[in-house]
Amino acid sequence: MRPAMSDLPDGIRPLTPAEARTRRKRSVAIALTLGALVLLFFVLTIAKLGPQILQRPL
């Protein structure tokens, strides 16, 4: 349920459906980019450590 205009603080207005879709798409794009960076850093770290990381004593 969307708040009525009188319930919002001064200077704040509810988003239009088009603005909400745009914000949602931007949020998804940022999340995917962040996930890709995390995956890239993980892969690079494993590659830098090399295969001997699996043969270390526990």
Side-chain angles (χ1 to χ4, degrees):
M1 185 168 137
R2 297 181 86 177
M5 287 293 282
S6 61
D7 294 341
L8 296 173
D10 290 337
I12 297 179
R13 62 174 177 76
L15 296 175
T16 64
E19 290 171 332
R21 276 192 307 275
T22 302
R23 181 179 284 184
R24 174 82 176 155
K25 286 180 183 180
R26 185 172 50 241
S27 295
V28 169
I30 291 170
L32 289 174
T33 303
L34 182 59
L37 279 173
V38 167
L39 184 62
L40 176 67
F41 292 153
F42 176 75
V43 169
L44 289 175
T45 301
I46 297 301
K48 189 170 179 89
L49 291 174
Q52 67 273 15
I53 191 67
L54 298 175
Q55 298 172 0
R56 65 186 172 93
L58 294 177

